[in-house]
Amino acid sequence: MDRYRSNDNIVWDCDYHVVFCPKYRRKVLVDGIGSRFEEIAHEVAEELDFEIREIKVMPDRVHMLVSVDPQFGIHRAVKRIKGRTSHDLRAEFPQLKRKLPTLWTNSYFVSTVGGATSEAVRQYIEDQRNA
């Protein structure tokens, strides 16, 4: 029962594997930008009451395992993470403004984790660092 979350009217266990990339898949998430991305993403998750269970930032992409209230929705969670991180990172790291017209592509990949255990997806995300 530990993995279930609830609010006033529902109980859920909705985990999503999310992947998104910088514009043109540029390798810009380096030199402290990736670690700052993680900090900001966790701040957004805390503010909006969803959970980032696993996160790996590579130079050209981000993988996350996210647990989101289905009433809030995965799209809103991803949109808020991408929006806040783009704004904050471009303000803190001016070189991002010079290299890219916008930080993130408009698209992202999302998959429910229903067919695989959360642990299997966590291991996959962890293994991405070596890919």
Side-chain angles (χ1 to χ4, degrees):
M1 198 69 177
D2 291 344
R3 68 182 213 215
Y4 294 103
R5 298 186 65 199
S6 64
N7 62 24
D8 291 341
N9 55 352
I10 63 172
V11 176
W12 77 90
D13 177 27
C14 297
D15 288 349
Y16 301 92
H17 178 201
V18 177
V19 183
F20 53 91
C21 306
K23 192 82 166 175
Y24 312 121
R25 195 134 184 202
R26 295 261 170 84
K27 296 181 179 188
V28 296
L29 303 174
V30 295
D31 301 327
I33 296 172
S35 58
R36 183 65 180 126
F37 167 86
E38 287 187 39
E39 292 172 7
I40 297 166
H42 282 289
E43 289 171 11
V44 172
E46 186 175 323
E47 289 168 13
L48 300 176
D49 196 29
F50 64 88
E51 182 180 359
I52 298 173
R53 295 188 174 179
E54 187 71 32
I55 186 169
K56 287 294 176 251
V57 179
M58 279 138 296
D60 65 343
R61 67 191 181 279
V62 174
H63 283 263
M64 295 188 301
L65 178 61
V66 183
S67 178
V68 177
D69 177 342
Q71 290 178 317
F72 182 74
I74 187 64
H75 176 72
R76 287 174 65 194
V78 172
K79 185 176 177 180
R80 295 291 282 276
I81 287 173
K82 287 173 73 174
R84 172 82 69 76
T85 57
S86 178
H87 177 270
D88 292 0
L89 291 174
R90 288 166 59 85
E92 293 176 34
F93 300 93
Q95 68 268 31
L96 292 174
K97 286 183 180 178
R98 289 190 300 270
K99 291 184 178 183
L100 298 168
T102 61
L103 181 55
W104 305 114
T105 62
N106 290 332
S107 60
Y108 61 92
F109 166 84
V110 64
S111 175
T112 58
V113 184
T117 65
S118 294
E119 191 54 43
V121 175
R122 273 193 182 134
Q123 188 61 49
Y124 173 79
I125 292 171
E126 181 64 34
D127 292 346
Q128 287 300 297
R129 198 173 290 285
N130 302 321

